[in-house]
Amino acid sequence: MAVFLLLLRLVVFSLSFAINAVQTAPASHAQVHIVYLGHNNDLDPSLTTDSHLQLLSTVFTEPNEAREAILYSYSCGFSGFAALLNSTQATTLSGTDGVVSVFRSRMLEVHTTRSWDFMGLRLHMHTEQSSQRHLKFGDDVIVGVLDTGVWPESKSFRDDPHYGPVPSSWKGTCVVGDEFDPAAACNRKLIGARYYLAGFESELGPLNTSDGSEYRSPRDRVGHGTHTASTAVGSVAPNASYFGGLGGGAARGGAPRARLAVYKVCWYRDLTGRCSDADILAAFDDALCDGVHVVSASLGSPPPLMPLLSTSTEIGAFHAMQRGVVAVFSAGNDGPDASMVQNVSPWGLTVAASSIDRRFPTVITLGNNASIVGESFLVKAMKNGLVDSSSVFTDGTCTFEQLINRTAAWGKIVLCFATMGGVSSDGAALAVYAGNGAGVIFADTISRKSSQDSFWPTVHVDLYQGTQILNYIRDSRKPTVRISPSKTVVGETPAPAVAYFSSRGPSSVSPKILKPDVTAPGVNILAAWPPKSSPTVIPLDKRLTEWNMDSGTSMSCPHVSGIAAVIKSVHPTWSPAAVKSALMTTAYMYDGTSDVMQAGGTVKAADAFDVGAGHVDPLRALDPGLVYDAGARDHVVFLCSLGYTEAAIRNMVLPQPALDTSCPRGGGGGGGPEADLNYPAIVLPDLGGTVTVKRTVTNVGANRDAVYRAAVASPQGARAEVWPRELAFSARPGGEQASYYLTVTPAKLSRGRFDFGEVVWSDGFHRVRTPLVVRVTNLPDDGVKVVQAANATGDGSQAAA
Ligand SMILES: *[C@@H]1O[C@H](CO)[C@@H](O)[C@H](O)[C@H]1NC(C)=O
Ligand SMILES: *[C@@H]1O[C@H](CO)[C@@H](O)[C@H](O)[C@H]1NC(C)=O
Ligand SMILES: *[C@@H]1O[C@H](CO)[C@@H](O)[C@H](O)[C@H]1NC(C)=O
Ligand SMILES: *[C@@H]1O[C@H](CO)[C@@H](O)[C@H](O)[C@H]1NC(C)=O
Ligand SMILES: *[C@@H]1O[C@H](CO)[C@@H](O)[C@H](O)[C@H]1NC(C)=O
Ligand SMILES: *[C@@H]1O[C@H](CO)[C@@H](O)[C@H](O)[C@H]1NC(C)=O
């Protein structure tokens, strides 16, 4: 015990120390910066690198200094470099001709919900992943996963005689490293593996591999990358289960036949996987030239968000899009408050997380025989004394720091409230464990209440149930409780339901672009895991496990990456915008008004800021009928609306014959209907008067003479009308495209509330649904003049040019 506490203190101390160290670095000190130069115009990478060194040496006195300062030259997928620069040098470079932007490289994190991932979890339930479809498709498609690496021996990545040769378009490689021998690790399934450390080590110091907590190689130590990769493309692995076949079944990814290329950019530090912008961009640069078709990245950094195109993920996604590569990101785990969504660029696909229709009800019987149904992952029944947190912790706050009376907790189940001091269930579990308690009953609000497992027995209840238990404890001289083993119930729960942790829109930099885009399963997802004991300090369950359950938008993102791979396999010529549109317009909204647990009440139905266009439907996404496509000209106009100059735009958008790179008249900021990027969702965050939006749809259905008719649901407080109301497509050249206009007029005086509607096009067979989100702002804010509205087009971000 004492050793554990000591270790824990060390961890807590080093955590806060690390955070301080990063924040207090002096400004004049050289920091990792990214200098972004746009596309590389298909120049020879070595020439591009020479030009980077030349440019960099203009801010140094000695040529050697430039060579020492540069960390990466991005010269294949796009052009730019990462280098150690002081603020003067960064400013000088950002004013140089041909430089699109210069920004500080930041540290991102993987999007798992728990920091306790790395220990063997006491899990035993099997969660089947998305439905058994598309087993045939995808072996011509390569998915690149940017994460913490891979455990190549996992059954999910085994070679299989049914695979054909590696696609001839593949130019990537498997590199050698610590405990990673490409000859043994790579095969026709796992076809690429690289790692990137220069940015991480420049920011956080040398990687410490001495205690076995990391490998200087593509091998995964954290587990997150193995889990996400197997969720995206894991082969069918029969008999995946926990501990002797409890809840056994087959585990498989969204595109079980697709090939996997691993780019390790996140490394174990401070109990999580941390990833540097400079390394992520290097991985994108390679992945685009290696020939991946889909990039999956379950990582990010919470708001405040940088302007569009000033982060690695957005630059990467922008150039991926131009090369026909679909980039899929997690929305983040900062829900349920509004506007916390991350990875919001219009060229990426942003995925929220929702539950599946499976729950784990657990009966709690109090000493007075009253029974309450909570949620847990208990294998064995428990019968213990029961104590209220106030007897164990100062102010009843279940945290390690507030622990005052271990005697009171000894051998008992402790009732903790999230609302007393704002604690998390993992935090409470740790505190009760430290106090020698036998387990926790954790009460939280209905909307936040989760069914996640913890490393110490934890039963989740809602506040009403928690209050009932508290009243019983107060009334009883010797309170006791019995807890029955958890059951698995499938299909009886209104599902999916949005996960409380899933980050919500609207986007805090570009509210006109709906984010998140879609949702997919992200709660208690079973997938492959490195069968190694945990590198964390908690010496609990060290059982080796090949499979693990985890939650987060980290888990929902690779589901969509897998589905995107299947779409690319069936429709290889579709652009990333078309793939995104197919996923969005065929997604379904939840009708349920109940949260997943439903135990003591209801919560509001999910809206477009919770789940985007809705929950992905893989089969329908293969045959969407119509798609909202977007080409190079759309992106030129959009970049104009962000304030980029025409010269910068010519650097960024790949040259094409006859591509018009001029900004529309009336100023780049003017925008108008054309600046809306033909997004498969319409958001009007600032509707002061009538606004008309234009959209163009392309018929990709089998019937080339299809006729679609519109049905519009106006949001409350506004009137939405579409014109024309009928779109007739034909087989003649150009006949596959048609445009429509949506006019939205405020129908009330209001300020500040978002309302939700939709535009649905249907030919009787396909249903093409486009979310419509409106905030009427025709009532003046007391005395505050609204200036920003006039120039708000694509978004509210400033230009980085
Ligand atoms: C930044 O580095 C350059 C070149 O080494 C040097 O001349 C300049 O004084 C430095 N500026 C700051 C603010 O440290
Ligand atoms: C690396 O980790 C080991 C074990 O945790 C520790 O003893 C050692 O001091 C660390 N080395 C560095 C350079 O931080
Ligand atoms: C599945 O796993 C269980 C438990 O490990 C084992 O008893 C059983 O034989 C396995 N079945 C197959 C088909 O491998
Ligand atoms: C609870 O139920 C058990 C068994 O049915 C019974 O023996 C016991 O007396 C009951 N206790 C109370 C407090 O009602
Ligand atoms: C700690 O809890 C025990 C058992 O409930 C109680 O007897 C004791 O008085 C408590 N100690 C303090 C310092 O509150
Ligand atoms: C809006 O844009 C126009 C033209 O680009 C510019 O002249 C005007 O100053 C801008 N207005 C505001 C409020 O930024």
Side-chain angles (χ1 to χ4, degrees):
M1 193 69 228
V3 173
F4 160 66
L5 292 179
L6 182 67
L7 283 167
L8 186 78
R9 287 223 176 83
L10 278 174
V11 166
V12 171
F13 174 76
S14 63
L15 252 174
S16 48
F17 178 76
I19 291 162
N20 288 339
V22 171
Q23 285 172 347
T24 56
S28 66
H29 187 260
Q31 309 270 12
V32 182
H33 283 78
I34 288 163
V35 179
Y36 170 54
L37 303 168
H39 62 71
N40 69 344
N41 205 5
D42 289 330
L43 285 179
D44 180 332
S46 67
L47 292 180
T48 309
T49 300
D50 287 346
S51 73
H52 293 162
L53 280 167
Q54 225 163 46
L55 176 57
L56 186 55
S57 57
T58 61
V59 294
F60 287 100
T61 39
E62 303 284 328
N64 277 353
E65 289 178 301
R67 248 169 237 290
E68 277 163 24
I70 197 163
L71 298 180
Y72 291 107
S73 166
Y74 311 122
S75 56
C76 197
F78 44 86
S79 177
F81 55 89
L84 286 160
L85 300 173
N86 67 29
S87 52
T88 329
Q89 294 166 316
T91 311
T92 308
L93 282 174
S94 67
T96 305
D97 253 9
V99 174
V100 177
S101 62
V102 177
F103 57 94
R104 272 280 313 275
S105 175
R106 298 186 306 163
M107 294 302 294
L108 283 63
E109 281 186 11
V110 296
H111 278 157
T112 182
T113 54
R114 52 178 74 246
S115 48
W116 309 111
D117 285 344
F118 315 120
M119 62 191 112
L121 290 181
R122 305 160 60 80
L123 284 179
H124 52 92
M125 300 300 183
H126 171 71
T127 301
E128 199 182 343
Q129 297 173 358
S130 48
S131 55
Q132 296 279 340
R133 291 165 181 162
H134 321 314
L135 294 177
K136 297 199 294 290
F137 295 106
D139 66 351
D140 49 348
V141 174
I142 302 158
V143 177
V145 177
L146 275 54
D147 210 301
T148 61
V150 67
W151 193 265
E153 292 81 11
S154 163
K155 290 189 185 76
S156 294
F157 314 124
R158 268 204 304 228
D159 204 347
D160 152 355
H162 301 302
Y163 274 118
V166 172
S168 59
S169 58
W170 177 242
K171 300 196 191 65
T173 182
C174 282
V175 302
V176 186
D178 286 356
E179 297 189 35
F180 197 91
D181 170 13
C186 292
N187 55 38
R188 287 177 298 178
K189 175 74 185 180
L190 176 57
I191 63 172
R194 302 176 184 263
Y195 67 97
Y196 304 85
L197 252 175
F200 178 92
E201 292 192 315
S202 298
E203 297 273 357
L204 299 180
L207 188 71
N208 190 348
T209 54
S210 65
D211 58 352
S213 66
E214 257 301 357
Y215 305 99
R216 188 176 283 274
S217 80
R219 183 174 289 278
D220 182 14
R221 188 65 182 84
V222 171
H224 190 266
T226 302
H227 197 282
T228 55
S230 73
T231 303
V233 300
S235 307
V236 178
N239 215 14
S241 71
Y242 279 102
F243 313 126
L246 270 164
R252 60 168 204 84
R257 304 209 43 83
R259 319 288 179 132
L260 172 63
V262 164
Y263 299 84
K264 180 171 175 182
V265 294
C266 303
W267 304 84
Y268 177 67
R269 184 62 66 96
D270 302 339
L271 301 177
T272 189
R274 308 194 71 201
C275 353
S276 145
D277 266 329
D279 295 334
I280 294 168
L281 214 41
F284 263 107
D285 189 33
D286 282 341
L288 297 186
C289 283
D290 288 348
V292 304
H293 301 99
V294 176
V295 170
S296 186
S298 292
L299 44 83
S301 169
L305 301 181
M306 305 298 284
L308 292 181
L309 284 163
S310 295
T311 69
S312 56
T313 46
E314 288 168 7
I315 291 173
F318 179 68
H319 289 280
M321 176 271 295
Q322 295 195 64
R323 289 164 170 267
V325 174
V326 181
V328 187
F329 299 101
S330 42
N333 300 331
D334 302 299
D337 295 327
S339 284
M340 293 296 282
V341 63
Q342 310 170 17
N343 295 320
V344 297
S345 77
W347 24 84
L349 229 165
T350 313
V351 187
S354 46
S355 62
I356 52 179
D357 66 343
R358 189 179 298 248
R359 56 192 195 101
F360 310 98
T362 306
V363 176
I364 301 169
T365 309
L366 303 175
N368 64 2
N369 284 352
S371 73
I372 284 167
V373 181
E375 293 261 332
S376 190
F377 291 85
L378 287 186
V379 205
K380 283 197 301 220
M382 302 178 76
K383 188 164 192 296
N384 299 76
L386 182 61
V387 63
D388 159 27
S389 62
S390 318
S391 312
V392 183
F393 300 96
T394 317
D395 303 328
T397 304
C398 294
T399 64
F400 182 66
E401 292 76 18
Q402 312 275 65
L403 179 60
I404 42 159
N405 193 340
R406 288 202 170 78
T407 318
W410 191 277
K412 296 210 174 98
I413 307 267
V414 182
L415 173 66
C416 289
F417 282 82
T419 45
M420 295 175 81
V423 297
S424 70
S425 66
D426 273 336
L430 178 66
V432 168
Y433 170 72
N436 297 315
V440 193
I441 295 177
F442 189 76
D444 205 344
T445 60
I446 290 268
S447 53
R448 295 193 73 95
K449 187 164 74 86
S450 82
S451 58
Q452 281 185 57
D453 190 38
S454 206
F455 71 97
W456 204 234
T458 303
V459 187
H460 298 267
V461 298
D462 65 36
L463 287 181
Y464 174 69
Q465 296 172 320
T467 307
Q468 286 180 295
I469 299 170
L470 183 60
N471 288 339
Y472 160 70
I473 294 174
R474 285 182 176 152
D475 290 349
S476 171
R477 287 188 36 235
K478 199 163 171 289
T480 59
V481 64
R482 272 182 296 130
I483 304 177
S484 311
S486 306
K487 297 202 168 69
T488 310
V489 176
V490 182
E492 289 177 11
T493 317
V498 61
Y500 81 93
F501 57 75
S502 186
S503 290
R504 309 303 211 268
S507 158
S508 54
V509 298
S510 48
K512 286 190 91 175
I513 293 167
L514 180 65
K515 291 287 164 178
D517 292 301
V518 288
T519 189
V523 178
N524 294 325
I525 301 302
L526 180 72
W529 198 255
K532 268 268 205 177
S533 58
S534 145
T536 52
V537 291
I538 299 182
L540 283 177
D541 194 333
K542 295 228 167 169
R543 278 182 286 193
L544 308 184
T545 170
E546 277 181 274
W547 306 100
N548 202 350
M549 218 183 279
D550 205 350
S551 297
T553 52
S554 269
M555 282 69 233
S556 56
C557 164
H559 278 93
V560 174
S561 310
I563 298 166
V566 174
I567 298 175
K568 278 298 255 188
S569 179
V570 177
H571 304 290
T573 60
W574 282 12
S575 70
V579 172
K580 174 195 280 196
S581 174
L583 284 160
M584 288 177 72
T585 62
T586 59
Y588 56 94
M589 289 302 287
Y590 312 151
D591 53 349
T593 52
S594 305
D595 191 29
V596 59
M597 266 68 66
Q598 234 198 348
T602 57
V603 295
K604 73 175 180 62
D607 65 41
F609 288 145
D610 298 322
V611 299
H615 196 281
V616 289
D617 182 336
L619 258 198
R620 289 190 61 217
L622 288 174
D623 181 21
L626 306 178
V627 294
Y628 293 86
D629 208 345
R633 177 64 193 161
D634 299 272
H635 290 102
V636 168
V637 176
F638 181 74
L639 292 171
C640 293
S641 78
L642 294 184
Y644 285 97
T645 63
E646 293 184 12
I649 290 169
R650 277 192 294 277
N651 281 334
M652 293 156 76
V653 179
L654 278 175
Q656 289 178 14
L659 173 63
D660 177 4
T661 56
S662 64
C663 285
R665 296 233 153 236
E674 310 291 336
D676 291 331
L677 200 53
N678 210 36
Y679 213 74
I682 298 168
V683 185
L684 302 169
D686 208 355
L687 190 72
T690 298
V691 164
T692 298
V693 175
K694 181 189 177 191
R695 287 291 188 271
T696 301
V697 283
T698 308
N699 180 17
V700 294
N703 178 7
R704 308 196 55 192
D705 297 311
V707 175
Y708 280 79
R709 287 186 186 79
V712 180
S714 296
Q716 250 191 36
R719 203 170 55 250
E721 280 169 39
V722 67
W723 184 88
R725 304 182 57 86
E726 195 174 277
L727 298 175
F729 299 88
S730 74
R732 68 177 163 72
E736 75 281 4
Q737 282 204 339
S739 296
Y740 70 88
Y741 294 86
L742 180 78
T743 301
V744 187
T745 308
K748 63 171 179 189
L749 285 178
S750 172
R751 162 142 223 105
R753 188 180 115 171
F754 283 99
D755 287 298
F756 302 88
E758 63 184 22
V759 180
V760 179
W761 289 96
S762 177
D763 63 350
F765 177 65
H766 300 96
R767 188 172 183 275
V768 183
R769 181 180 173 277
T770 305
L772 169 61
V773 183
V774 171
R775 184 172 62 162
V776 175
T777 53
N778 54 3
L779 260 189
D781 237 348
D782 279 351
V784 183
K785 201 172 153 229
V786 186
V787 272
Q788 149 254 349
N791 283 4
T793 53
D795 71 15
S797 80
Q798 75 268 39

